[in-house]
């Protein structure tokens, strides 16, 4: 993927439509800090699928088909952003008289999508044995080994950061440094890892 940039994530998992704060309170909020441009969460530079198949014919003894699949996924992106950061006194001093000015804002500490999770390399192996009992009847047995080498890459993880309120601020009074949360970089749910090794067995009859 060459380009998938923007300054707003319009949807998320189980949340197809998200309201936008773009251009709200232009005198107070700073787009470069609250809604910068950059790589969106759906950005993925590379995705590779390579596979090969090999068949063995044993005549009356049946047939064996072997398949090997290699899957590579380059990292997804995430942002160093802290939500609900108090609006600074410098920003509020620019309030032209809103009835309800904002008191909290999202603060980015780098461009959108500046960071990356881990990439993953996964091999899948499949073997299908078939035996012809009659001209048009063939029972078969299929064995699948998904994630053959049990790759355990973290394709997502905790990314919470907090503003360093004791550190330097920019010209708008917004903190320029952040502190990583206590679980930063750790898995949150099993789905944050590549799906672990699976063994699947199938039986069937072709006729």
């Amino acid at each position: 993927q060459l380009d998938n940039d923007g300054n707003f994530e319009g949807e998320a998992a189980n949340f197809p439509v998200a309201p936008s704060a773009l251009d709200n309170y232009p005198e107070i909020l700073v787009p470069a800090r609250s809604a910068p441009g950059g790589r969106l969460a759906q950005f993925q530079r590379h995705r590779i699928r390579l596979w090969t198949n090999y068949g063995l014919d044993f005549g009356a003894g049946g047939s064996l088909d072997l398949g090997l699949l290699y899957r590579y996924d380059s990292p997804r992106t995430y942002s160093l952003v802290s939500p609900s950061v108090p609006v600074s006194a410098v920003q509020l001093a620019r309030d032209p008289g809103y009835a309800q000015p904002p008191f909290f804002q999202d603060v980015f500490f780098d461009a959108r999508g500046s960071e990356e999770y881990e990439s993953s390399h996964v091999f899948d192996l499949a073997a299908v044995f078939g035996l012809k009992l009659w001209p048009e009847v063939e029972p078969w047995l299929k064995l699948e080994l998904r994630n053959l080498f049990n790759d355990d890459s973290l394709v997502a993880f905790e990314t919470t950061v907090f503003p360093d309120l004791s550190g330097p601020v920019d010209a708008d009074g917004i903190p320029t440094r952040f502190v990583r949360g206590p679980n930063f970089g750790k898995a949150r749910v099993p789905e944050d890892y590549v799906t672990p090794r699976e063994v699947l067995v199938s039986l069937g009859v072709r006729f």
Side-chain angles (χ1 to χ4, degrees):
Q1 191 171 46
L2 300 177
D3 189 32
N4 190 350
D5 289 5
N7 60 357
F8 175 65
E9 299 284 353
E11 58 183 344
N14 301 317
F15 194 48
V17 179
S20 169
L22 294 174
D23 294 328
N24 288 356
Y25 309 103
E27 300 88 353
I28 300 176
L29 300 181
V30 183
R33 297 302 308 275
S34 62
R39 299 183 298 180
L40 298 176
Q42 301 92 346
F43 177 84
Q44 186 180 31
R45 179 69 69 188
H46 304 295
R47 176 181 291 180
I48 298 173
R49 300 293 185 267
L50 298 174
W51 65 91
T52 184
N53 293 284
Y54 190 76
L56 297 170
D57 189 351
F58 304 119
S63 63
L64 179 64
D65 294 314
L66 301 173
L68 181 66
L69 170 66
Y70 167 67
R71 295 182 279 140
Y72 169 72
D73 287 279
S74 64
R76 297 283 187 170
T77 64
Y78 68 93
S79 303
L80 296 171
V81 56
S82 182
S84 302
V85 177
V87 173
S88 71
V90 175
Q91 292 174 278
L92 288 176
R94 301 195 296 257
D95 181 3
Y98 288 110
Q100 294 181 325
F103 292 102
F104 298 95
Q105 62 189 329
D106 293 343
V107 171
F108 284 74
F109 297 95
D110 207 330
R112 185 181 298 272
S114 62
E115 310 303 302
E116 295 182 342
Y117 298 112
E118 295 181 8
S119 60
S120 64
H121 301 263
V122 178
F123 287 88
D124 300 328
L125 177 66
V128 181
F129 177 75
L131 182 63
K132 285 192 175 182
L133 299 181
W134 293 278
E136 295 183 356
V137 177
E138 181 183 3
W140 54 267
L141 170 66
K142 182 178 182 180
L143 174 66
E144 294 179 77
L145 294 175
R146 299 181 183 177
N147 195 0
L148 179 64
F149 300 111
N150 207 26
D151 180 274
D152 61 353
S153 299
L154 266 175
V155 294
F157 48 73
E158 179 64 51
T159 62
T160 299
V161 296
F162 304 98
D164 183 357
L165 300 179
S166 62
V169 298
D170 60 17
D172 297 291
I174 303 173
T176 59
R177 294 180 182 174
F178 64 89
V179 178
R180 290 181 172 87
N183 295 316
F184 187 95
K186 297 180 181 180
R188 302 156 299 182
V189 293
E191 289 74 22
D192 285 345
Y193 291 98
V194 174
T195 302
R197 183 189 296 121
E198 295 179 293
V199 179
L200 291 85
V201 179
S202 306
L203 291 170
V205 178
R206 297 187 185 95
F207 56 90

